[in-house]
Amino acid sequence: DTSITPSNVNSVSSGTSAPHHALTLDIDGVTVTQLQSAQLSISSIARFIRGAAGPTPIDAVIAAPESTVETSAVFGSDSPSRLELAYGSAGATSPEDLVGGVSATLDVTVNGTQVSTYNLTVTPASGSWDNVVSTENTQQSLTWNVDGGVSVA
């Protein structure tokens, strides 16, 4: 079951935009405190239905929406391990037969005004470590599949 249900989305006023520090990401109830980047991608949202009169669409229907979240965060001693989620679930210590999803929330707030909140269920799809042997900060880059669509509140 896939749903995309936008509601209460506030526009950013003219001349302003949401800076990178306006975004808060929580995964499995834990805030990603040293988030470097995050991107929510939604594709195949709708498809057009064309009429017999020509190529101009006369209607649109929900297609097969697919969503992913790509994140990069500095890994510190206080960072939660995402390895257990890749094993299959929170608290897992070895690979499980199935990988389960966890809740995630992307919240955008500008000058105290909540612009939008994206409520997601995510499962890890792929990951990598960056700058492991370097003087730079070690970062963990993850791609998450979004299960069941995106709810915008």
Side-chain angles (χ1 to χ4, degrees), residues 20 23-26 30-38 71-80 82 136-141:
H20 72 278
L23 180 77
T24 304
L25 173 65
D26 293 341
V30 178
T31 300
V32 180
T33 57
Q34 297 186 56
L35 185 66
Q36 301 301 297
S37 66
T71 61
S72 180
V74 172
F75 184 79
S77 59
D78 61 341
S79 301
R82 300 297 179 208
E136 299 295 320
N137 294 328
T138 299
Q139 293 187 30
Q140 184 178 29
S141 297

Side-chain angles (χ1 to χ4, degrees), residues 25-83:
L25 173 65
D26 293 341
I27 296 177
D28 200 23
V30 178
T31 300
V32 180
T33 57
Q34 297 186 56
L35 185 66
Q36 301 301 297
S37 66
Q39 177 178 325
L40 171 62
S41 299
I42 305 171
S43 61
S44 300
I45 296 172
R47 63 180 173 80
F48 292 121
I49 298 174
R50 301 190 192 309
T56 304
I58 59 171
D59 202 354
V61 295
I62 290 180
E66 296 176 2
S67 306
T68 59
V69 176
E70 295 180 14
T71 61
S72 180
V74 172
F75 184 79
S77 59
D78 61 341
S79 301
S81 171
R82 300 297 179 208
L83 178 60

Side-chain angles (χ1 to χ4, degrees), residues 10-24 107-117:
N10 299 313
S11 297
V12 177
S13 62
S14 178
T16 63
S17 60
H20 72 278
H21 58 272
L23 180 77
T24 304
D107 181 65
V108 182
T109 302
V110 176
N111 294 329
T113 300
Q114 186 179 49
V115 176
S116 59
T117 298

